[in-house]
Amino acid sequence: MNKKEWNNRIANRSDFTAGLVHLTKSNKDKNKSSLEILMKILKEQNLIGSTINSGYIVVDIPAVCLQDTLLYLLANC
């Protein structure tokens, strides 16, 4: 499927997005706002995975969660 066919296909779909969403939160321990955390991620081009001790992860391997979701659906949360 070429780019034009793909664009035509997704133009009429409300369940496809053009990107991924990564939610950030403030880091109260380091006194950084969510915006500062986002800017750090963009500048360093690095995502630090959560662990058993720092998030909802239940295995010994750090993980980063990305979600393909429509932004207007997040705004309604």
Side-chain angles (χ1 to χ4, degrees):
M1 179 178 301
N2 65 37
K3 186 175 180 179
K4 184 177 179 181
E5 290 172 324
W6 177 252
N7 286 336
N8 288 336
R9 183 176 182 182
I10 66 171
N12 297 315
R13 298 282 306 261
S14 64
D15 60 334
F16 284 162
T17 63
L20 293 174
V21 174
H22 177 69
L23 302 176
T24 60
K25 63 180 180 178
S26 62
N27 185 330
K28 293 179 179 135
D29 294 336
K30 296 183 180 178
N31 211 17
K32 291 192 179 214
S33 70
S34 55
L35 179 59
E36 290 171 314
I37 298 294
L38 175 61
M39 296 308 294
K40 181 179 184 298
I41 290 169
L42 294 173
K43 181 179 177 185
E44 296 176 3
Q45 299 180 7
N46 185 41
L47 293 172
I48 300 169
S50 296
T51 64
I52 292 171
N53 298 323
S54 66
Y56 297 103
I57 309 305
V58 295
V59 295
D60 288 334
I61 302 169
V64 173
C65 298
L66 299 170
Q67 185 173 0
D68 177 20
T69 190
L70 300 170
L71 291 178
Y72 75 85
L73 293 175
L74 287 175
N76 292 328
C77 292

